[in-house]
Amino acid sequence: LGDVYKRQMPLVLLEELADKIGMPATLKGPMLAAYAAPRRVLFMGLASEEVHPTCGLTPGCPAATDWLALLMLPWLLRVRRLNEAKARAYVDDLTAWATGHDCVEVTQLIVNLTADFERATSLVLHEGKSRRFANSPDLRRRLLEAGEGPRVDSWFKDLGVIPVSYTHLTLPT
């Protein structure tokens, strides 16, 4: 997901998630109040009108990664319920994969779940980093034919690393 989410994440969504998991008001209240606190922009001695944020995590907030983990949980649980699918979330990096006979169909279900998640949360998928991956030309062809989604490739990055586990992997140039 793109870094834009940090500025566009609706605070009301965070409050709804906190309520659903039963987060105590004494914990969520001060954090959400800090995110929504009035602000002014100061530039060359001039101050803007006061604004009241309704979206975004405060840069440098130590709880931001916790809020992101909470936000990613619905996507993670839904993908993990799919047969032959595995998934993990690390802060704002989502990774899911499917194996087995129906891997192409399951991959498309993951793509659809991710698109729904994007719409529901106002988060933005980073198209340059996202891809559907297969280690055989036949599976790549089937993924391309399966429908809309991120680009199809013979490689991917996971947390910035290109895993090399196949002898005929075509690496990017």
Side-chain angles (χ1 to χ4, degrees):
L1 297 168
D3 292 330
V4 166
Y5 73 87
K6 293 174 186 167
R7 293 183 301 276
Q8 294 181 347
M9 184 184 312
L11 297 178
V12 68
L13 177 62
L14 294 180
E15 186 170 17
E16 287 175 19
L17 286 168
D19 288 343
K20 283 191 187 254
I21 66 161
M23 184 184 286
T26 54
L27 182 60
K28 74 173 179 185
M31 285 193 281
L32 291 173
Y35 291 151
R39 298 186 182 129
R40 295 178 187 265
V41 174
L42 182 63
F43 180 70
M44 297 182 71
L46 300 173
S48 71
E49 295 284 326
E50 193 172 79
V51 295
H52 296 265
T54 59
C55 295
L57 295 175
T58 304
C61 174
T65 55
D66 297 328
W67 284 107
L68 287 171
L70 178 62
L71 186 63
M72 300 305 159
L73 188 60
W75 176 87
L76 193 61
L77 295 175
R78 285 189 175 152
V79 172
R80 286 180 176 172
R81 282 189 212 128
L82 298 173
N83 288 333
E84 302 178 349
K86 303 235 185 288
R88 67 149 185 80
Y90 182 79
V91 188
D92 64 340
D93 287 328
L94 302 177
T95 303
W97 61 99
T99 58
H101 180 70
D102 295 327
C103 64
V104 171
E105 293 78 12
V106 173
T107 298
Q108 283 312 112
L109 288 173
I110 294 168
V111 167
N112 294 339
L113 280 173
T114 304
D116 291 345
F117 178 72
E118 213 181 352
R119 282 187 292 279
T121 60
S122 302
L123 300 179
V124 179
L125 192 68
H126 191 299
E127 291 185 26
K129 294 181 181 178
S130 302
R131 58 186 25 87
R132 292 173 289 167
F133 161 82
N135 62 348
S136 77
D138 180 56
L139 281 176
R140 285 193 294 278
R141 179 190 53 74
R142 288 178 49 208
L143 282 172
L144 281 169
E145 293 170 354
E148 295 289 320
R151 64 193 257 184
V152 174
D153 227 319
S154 62
W155 63 276
F156 68 99
K157 282 187 180 180
D158 189 20
L159 299 177
V161 176
I162 301 173
V164 180
S165 59
Y166 303 99
T167 55
H168 301 293
L169 188 65
T170 305
L171 296 175
T173 54

